[in-house]
Amino acid sequence: MNWHVVWESRSVLLGGALVTLELSALAIGLGTTLGLLVALIRTARVPVLSQIARVYIEIFRGSPLLMQLFFVFFGLPYLGFDVSKLAAAVWALTLYSGAYIAEIIRAGIEAVPKGQKEAAYSLGLSPYEAMRYVVLPQTLTVALPPLIGFYIGLIKDTSLATIIGYRELIRESQSIIDRTARPLEVFTAVALIYFVICYPLSLLVTRLERRVPAR
Amino acid sequence: MIEMKQVQKHFGSLHVLKGVDLHVRPGEVVVIIGPSGSGKSTLLRTINYLEPIEKGEIWVDGTPVHQHKDLRQVRSKVGMVFQQFNLFPHLNALQNVVLAPTLVLKKSREEADEKGRALLTKVGLEQKAEAYPGQLSGGQQQRVAIARALAMDPKIMLFDEATSALDPELVGEVLAVMRQLASDGMTMVVVTHEMGFAREAADRVVFMDEGVIMEEGAPDDIFSNPQNPRTKQFLRRVLEK
């Protein structure tokens, strides 16, 4: 074992880790926004839009993320759109995570008893106000643990962006290995970095699940 | 105040309301009784359009509810209390009470809070303003729910089996608040199995069965001298218990 290699490459590894964090944050933020929107369309049963939402969910949950990355990266230029590697990675991860997050949030919305909405309507709240002030806050307590669980998976899935040549953590570590021929040491360090990013989120899930929702 | 004409509704193939006429005057307390499945809760829920109707007309304070117009305005004038309380579990008692006044009536926070505390005092829960629904007994929750409905200054209050989900020893405190409201002159439509309340607090008792109003009249007449054989049979069964 030669840990010296890892120490010498520390700035490259940390740079890769930051890129992974950036990609994760973008995918989580945009994917959650998209997912919330799609979930609202699905639960409100908006005609046409809700069918489109359903097809979208089925397609992106039913195909490998790797393929989706290829399709965005190679497909969009084919259609005349110029996409950077970052944009392609963010687009693919957003579309992929949006489909899963939509279903997590929808399940949370549907777990709120029907009487809650009726009480809100009977007080004169509009459908928007009922959703915003009564249903969604309760959805959050139900949906947050599975949501964070999904985020953890998503952070690890950003590593797939290496396949389109995006210089995130895995890609950077590959180039260190190419230079030093020390895969075991470098990958151990990489695994540790992913763990340091993901473990606090796991702890958060455990804490949230222990908290019994007040009812 | 409420005018229902030939109201009809189906649940699938089940004909739950078979042409109901009901007229409620301002300040009147109407109590609807009848066996389970008779359509009385459904009838109540059509008044603020929680249940859409297929045929007939419903006018609430001059607004045609059956035309699905100005629904928010009608609903803000009609308070409703549910069997399962339906308090918002993520908000404390006071927040439950002030939510609609601040959103719908655009009241300031201070004004809504002041009125909210006054209403919680009225239902005997001034000490529980900061408690969450999960920390309150069923009777306390239902009293908060009544305060929440009253915060909108409704002209009409609807009670949908408001005491049916309560432990027997908690029924009294909720009925006391309802009696107080009735004697304050509130227009009320009450669906209940509490025959004592119907006898004492009602101006008029309506007996429903199989989706129609079988008989209606002053409580004394209905309870002491029912005319319809179905009414007789129903009262004999519930009063024996």
Side-chain angles (χ1 to χ4, degrees):
Chain A
M1 286 289 200
N2 180 359
W3 295 104
H4 191 62
V5 180
V6 171
W7 183 246
E8 275 188 334
S9 316
R10 63 190 181 277
S11 65
V12 180
L13 281 173
L14 281 179
L18 281 177
V19 172
T20 286
L21 271 178
E22 181 194 25
L23 193 55
S24 303
L26 282 169
I28 286 172
L30 294 171
T32 306
T33 312
L34 177 66
L36 178 62
L37 213 67
V38 174
L40 289 175
I41 289 170
R42 283 268 274 149
T43 46
R45 301 204 173 84
V46 187
V48 187
L49 274 184
S50 119
Q51 273 80 27
I52 295 175
R54 182 133 182 237
V55 171
Y56 154 69
I57 290 170
E58 295 306 334
I59 288 176
F60 281 86
R61 287 205 312 175
S63 62
L65 173 57
L66 202 58
M67 259 190 52
Q68 294 166 18
L69 275 160
F70 282 144
F71 265 99
V72 174
F73 187 61
F74 297 114
L76 285 184
Y78 189 78
L79 294 173
F81 297 100
D82 195 23
V83 281
S84 68
K85 285 172 181 168
L86 173 66
V90 170
W91 267 106
L93 285 164
T94 299
L95 289 169
Y96 165 79
S97 60
Y100 278 91
I101 291 170
E103 288 299 274
I104 294 173
I105 294 179
R106 188 174 68 94
I109 289 174
E110 281 171 6
V112 176
K114 187 165 145 263
Q116 292 289 310
K117 223 190 240 176
E118 289 187 346
Y121 288 161
S122 78
L123 289 163
L125 269 65
S126 66
Y128 166 77
E129 288 166 342
M131 188 49 86
R132 162 79 180 74
Y133 296 99
V134 175
V135 177
L136 280 184
Q138 298 181 60
T139 302
L140 211 60
T141 27
V142 187
L144 211 51
L147 210 48
I148 296 175
F150 178 77
Y151 292 161
I152 294 172
L154 188 62
I155 290 170
K156 292 182 290 185
D157 284 344
T158 59
S159 60
L160 288 173
T162 190
I163 206 78
I164 58 169
Y166 187 61
R167 303 198 68 83
E168 45 64 71
L169 185 52
I170 297 285
R171 191 85 186 176
E172 295 289 18
S173 59
Q174 259 317 328
S175 62
I176 300 170
I177 293 163
D178 291 346
R179 215 174 51 235
T180 61
R182 284 283 170 191
L184 202 59
E185 290 87 340
V186 174
F187 276 136
T188 306
V190 168
L192 210 66
I193 292 173
Y194 274 109
F195 181 78
V196 168
I197 296 173
C198 294
Y199 187 59
L201 289 174
S202 295
L203 282 181
L204 189 62
V205 175
T206 319
R207 264 192 57 181
L208 285 171
E209 279 178 342
R210 221 179 298 147
R211 199 183 65 189
V212 183
R215 205 160 255 286
Chain B
M1 191 63 93
I2 304 172
E3 186 77 57
M4 309 180 95
K5 291 177 195 160
Q6 284 302 305
V7 171
Q8 298 229 24
K9 174 161 185 82
H10 287 81
F11 284 131
S13 62
L14 192 69
H15 202 174
V16 273
L17 298 176
K18 301 175 186 166
V20 177
D21 292 291
L22 184 69
H23 176 78
V24 181
R25 290 185 303 274
E28 196 179 18
V29 177
V30 172
V31 174
I32 305 175
I33 58 172
S36 302
S38 58
K40 52 194 194 305
S41 279
T42 308
L43 182 72
L44 193 74
R45 289 160 53 86
T46 61
I47 296 174
N48 61 356
Y49 213 73
L50 284 183
E51 296 288 353
I53 62 167
E54 288 141 17
K55 270 192 202 144
E57 293 181 13
I58 301 174
W59 296 77
V60 174
D61 197 27
T63 311
V65 178
H66 55 282
Q67 290 175 9
H68 206 154
K69 269 192 211 150
D70 303 319
L71 262 191
R72 287 189 72 180
Q73 200 209 336
V74 169
R75 283 171 170 166
S76 64
K77 281 194 278 190
V78 180
M80 186 158 199
V81 178
F82 300 86
Q83 181 175 0
Q84 299 296 337
F85 329 134
N86 294 350
L87 287 182
F88 307 134
H90 59 298
L91 302 177
N92 70 28
L94 185 62
Q95 288 166 338
N96 262 277
V97 175
V98 303
L99 181 70
T102 47
L103 286 177
V104 181
L105 304 179
K106 312 287 178 212
K107 280 194 182 178
S108 72
R109 204 51 217 244
E110 296 75 39
E111 197 189 345
D113 270 11
E114 192 183 334
K115 166 128 194 182
R117 285 188 192 278
L119 284 169
L120 286 175
T121 307
K122 187 184 163 101
V123 298
L125 290 171
E126 64 274 28
Q127 308 294 333
K128 297 288 187 184
E130 271 74 39
Y132 283 84
Q135 300 165 320
L136 298 172
S137 73
Q140 291 171 332
Q141 287 189 55
Q142 195 59 300
R143 285 185 283 152
V144 173
I146 294 173
R148 178 175 71 176
L150 290 175
M152 293 296 289
D153 283 321
K155 293 189 165 182
I156 301 164
M157 285 283 284
L158 309 175
F159 291 85
D160 187 7
E161 304 200 19
T163 56
S164 297
L166 296 174
D167 292 337
E169 75 269 23
L170 301 177
V171 169
E173 60 190 71
V174 172
L175 288 182
V177 172
M178 289 168 65
R179 277 198 193 92
Q180 180 62 44
L181 265 180
S183 64
D184 289 348
M186 175 65 76
T187 308
M188 292 164 63
V189 183
V190 181
V191 168
T192 188
H193 293 291
E194 293 293 329
M195 295 304 143
F197 178 84
R199 194 185 279 251
E200 297 156 36
D203 295 313
R204 184 151 50 103
V205 173
V206 172
F207 173 69
M208 261 187 94
D209 196 12
E210 293 179 351
V212 290
I213 291 177
M214 292 275 177
E215 185 168 3
E216 59 182 306
D220 279 348
D221 295 338
I222 297 285
F223 285 105
S224 316
N225 188 20
Q227 301 300 311
N228 190 303
R230 301 298 293 266
T231 319
K232 286 181 191 164
Q233 190 190 14
F234 172 74
L235 287 174
R236 198 164 49 239
R237 252 181 315 176
V238 293
L239 295 177
E240 265 171 14
K241 275 194 277 188

